[in-house]
Amino acid sequence: MKRLFAISFILFSVQTLFAQRLQGPLWAQGNQRSFVGVYGYGSAVSTGLTNKFASELLFSDQLSVEGRSDQLNRLGEKSILAGGDYSLAIQGALNLKGGSMALLFSMSDEAFAEARFKRDAFKLAFNGNKSFAGDTVFIDDHSFRIGRFQKIGFGWSYQPSLETSYAVMLSFVNGESVLDARVNDSWIYTSLLGDTLQANAQTSLFLSDTANQGFLKHNGAGFMLDFYVEQHFEVLDQQWKASAMIMNVGAVQWRPNTERYALDTTIVFSGIAVDDFNTVQEQVSAEALQDSLMQPIRDGYSRGSVNQFLPGWFQMHIQQQRARGFVMGLGFSARLQSLAGNYGYIAPGFRFNERVGLDAEIGYGGFGSFQAGVSGTVHYARWRAQLRLGNLEAFAAPNRFGGITAAGGFQYFFGL
C-alpha cells in the first residue's frame, strides 16, 4: 500500500482531487445533461518528508546515511503530517424530461492514508537508539491510519434556473480494510552504556480481519452523504460562479471480527548476565524474548465492532466566468475527520475560447505547505477531457518539498 500513495496515478478524470483541494465530481455541475464518465486520482503530500527521501525509501535497496541525515535536518520540532488519497470511479446522470432534474449514480473504489509523527520518532525509527544513549525519547500524539472502501451511490440534481443548481448523493459504503494506530504518553529510555532499555507504551490499535483481505472483501458497512450547490452572480459587470460542497461525509461500522489492541505497560531489558555460561543460550533464546514482549500485546487483544468516521471534505470555490481571456478563482478547503489542516488557494487561468482552457493553482495548507499545480480542459459538444498535474514545487525542489498529484480523464454526454 505504501507505493499506492507515493506514485502518481494518471487515470481517467474530469473533476479530481488536486493536492488538498477537491473539485466537484462529474455529477456536480450546472445545466445537467445525461452522461457517463470515468475518473480517478492519486495524491500524496507531506509537511516534512521530501520527494528525494521518499524516492530513496521506495526504490533504493537501502537508505544512505546522507539521505537520512538530509531528511532529518529538514524536520522541525513540530508534528509532521503526511497523507494521501486515491479514487477510481464510474459516474453518470440520466436527464429527466424538462431538463431541470436528473437521476445520478456513482461507483468508486477509494483509499486514504494519513500519519502524524515527530522528529525524534523519525530519528529513532531510521537511526536507531544509539544517538539517544543516556536520554529518553518521548513519543506522544502520534497516529497512523490507512483504509480502503467502495461506494455505490444514487442521487438527484435539480436546476430551478440557469443561475442555480443543487445535487445530492447518498452512498452505501463497503469497508474493505482499515488499520488505525495511536500512540500517547509513551517513551523509551536508553542507558548511557546501552545495556539497559526501558519503555513505557500507551498504544491503541484496531485493524480489519487479517483473515479476510483483498479487493471488495466485506469487513464493514456504512453510508456517506455528498451535497453540492452552485450559484451564478454578477459583480461590477463580471460574471462569477460560486459553489460549495460537502463530500464523503459518513461512517463505517467495522464488523465484530475487527482485531483490537490496547497496550499500557512498561518493559525493562537489562542485557544478558554471563556469570554462568550454561544459561546464556536460554537468555538469548528468540522464543523467550518474543514471549516476554508479546505477552502484554496478548493481554490487550480483543475482537469487536468499531465505529469510525471516514475523512470527508468541505469546500467553497469562486470562479470568474469568461469565454475568452484571463480569469481568476479562489477557494477554501477543509478536511473533516482528518489530520489535514485547512487549505486556501488562488486559481488564475486563461480561456482560449469556449472549448479550451488552462488553470494554475497556488495554495498553502492541507497535508503540506506551499503547493502549485496546473490543469487543462478541452470541452466539445459530446465530450470533455481534463489533465491535472499537482505538487510541481516538489518536482522543482525535491530536496525541499514532498508531494505528488496527477489525474486525467474523459466524460461523454448524451443528448444536447
Side-chain angles (χ1 to χ4, degrees):
M1 289 293 287
K2 67 178 182 180
R3 293 182 185 271
L4 178 65
F5 300 102
I7 304 173
S8 65
F9 291 81
I10 303 180
L11 301 171
F12 296 107
S13 174
V14 173
Q15 303 287 357
T16 69
L17 175 76
F18 182 45
Q20 269 68 71
R21 173 168 74 93
L22 179 72
Q23 289 188 293
L26 304 182
W27 48 265
Q29 54 182 294
N31 190 24
Q32 186 66 64
R33 297 161 57 189
S34 298
F35 75 89
V36 63
V38 58
Y39 83 90
Y41 59 74
S43 179
V45 186
S46 175
T47 55
L49 300 180
T50 65
N51 274 15
K52 181 179 178 181
F53 176 78
S55 178
E56 186 175 353
L57 177 65
L58 294 174
F59 305 116
S60 298
D61 293 335
Q62 63 181 20
L63 287 170
S64 65
V65 175
E66 295 78 8
R68 286 178 291 167
S69 178
D70 291 344
Q71 176 60 81
L72 186 62
N73 291 335
R74 295 214 58 85
L75 301 180
E77 296 303 323
K78 295 183 179 180
S79 294
I80 297 99
L81 297 179
D85 295 87
Y86 148 83
S87 180
L88 178 63
I90 297 175
Q91 296 183 340
L94 177 62
N95 192 278
L96 302 179
K97 186 176 181 180
S100 62
M101 293 186 292
L103 298 178
L104 313 172
F105 78 89
S106 176
M107 296 182 295
S108 64
D109 176 40
E110 306 194 27
F112 64 90
E114 59 180 18
R116 175 171 55 205
F117 59 94
K118 294 182 180 179
R119 185 177 187 273
D120 281 353
F122 178 92
K123 186 177 181 180
L124 179 65
F126 287 95
N127 291 349
N129 65 328
K130 182 178 179 181
S131 58
F132 293 99
D135 201 357
T136 301
V137 181
F138 292 94
I139 304 175
D140 180 52
D141 195 25
H142 289 54
S143 63
F144 171 78
R145 68 172 177 167
I146 182 171
R148 187 176 184 180
F149 59 93
Q150 290 79 41
K151 289 174 60 179
I152 300 178
F154 295 92
W156 174 77
S157 68
Y158 176 55
Q159 186 179 18
S161 67
L162 293 177
E163 293 78 26
T164 306
S165 61
Y166 308 91
V168 62
M169 177 82 70
L170 180 63
S171 301
F172 167 78
V173 178
N174 173 61
E176 178 185 309
S177 61
V178 68
L179 188 156
D180 190 311
R182 303 175 189 275
V183 181
N184 293 298
D185 299 325
S186 299
W187 48 266
I188 299 175
Y189 167 76
T190 304
S191 65
L192 189 60
L193 296 178
D195 58 342
T196 299
L197 293 177
Q198 186 173 356
N200 178 268
Q202 294 188 23
T203 303
S204 62
L205 179 150
F206 70 86
L207 69 160
S208 50
D209 187 4
T210 54
N212 186 37
Q213 297 182 347
F215 180 58
L216 290 178
K217 293 294 186 179
H218 179 61
N219 285 303
F223 292 92
M224 277 187 172
L225 178 68
D226 303 331
F227 177 78
Y228 176 83
V229 59
E230 178 182 300
Q231 179 68 52
H232 292 251
F233 61 95
E234 180 179 328
V235 175
L236 300 177
D237 296 326
Q238 297 293 321
Q239 297 296 319
W240 297 80
K241 179 180 73 175
S243 62
M245 69 182 73
I246 299 175
M247 302 292 297
N248 280 12
V249 175
V252 167
Q253 183 179 75
W254 299 100
R255 296 174 63 188
N257 56 358
T258 300
E259 300 180 16
R260 304 185 297 184
Y261 298 86
L263 185 63
D264 186 357
T265 187
T266 298
I267 301 173
V268 179
F269 177 72
S270 300
I272 300 171
V274 294
D275 54 328
D276 185 352
F277 285 97
N278 294 323
T279 63
V280 170
Q281 183 63 35
E282 297 177 4
Q283 296 183 65
V284 298
S285 168
E287 294 182 359
L289 291 175
Q290 182 178 1
D291 288 343
S292 63
L293 293 175
M294 290 298 296
Q295 190 58 48
I297 298 177
R298 296 191 189 98
D299 293 340
Y301 173 79
S302 64
R303 284 180 179 264
S305 300
V306 177
N307 297 320
Q308 182 187 40
F309 288 102
L310 299 182
W313 302 82
F314 169 76
Q315 180 168 293
M316 299 185 66
H317 180 76
I318 299 176
Q319 179 72 53
Q320 188 178 12
Q321 303 296 289
R322 182 178 293 177
R324 289 177 174 82
F326 288 99
V327 295
M328 177 56 67
L330 56 88
F332 168 83
S333 180
R335 296 299 302 268
L336 310 175
Q337 301 296 326
S338 172
L339 298 176
N342 296 332
Y343 179 72
Y345 61 91
I346 58 174
F350 186 82
R351 303 293 177 261
F352 296 93
N353 50 51
E354 294 181 350
R355 298 176 176 176
V356 181
L358 289 176
D359 289 281
E361 179 172 320
I362 301 174
Y364 188 93
F367 284 116
S369 54
F370 168 78
Q371 296 177 57
V374 64
S375 66
T377 303
V378 180
H379 189 180
Y380 279 80
R382 293 284 186 177
W383 58 271
R384 178 176 176 173
Q386 179 170 311
L387 175 67
R388 285 183 176 272
L389 296 174
N391 298 112
L392 300 183
E393 77 290 340
F395 286 90
N399 60 339
R400 183 177 179 183
F401 296 100
I404 183 170
T405 299
F410 185 83
Q411 183 180 20
Y412 184 80
F413 297 93
F414 299 92
L416 299 177

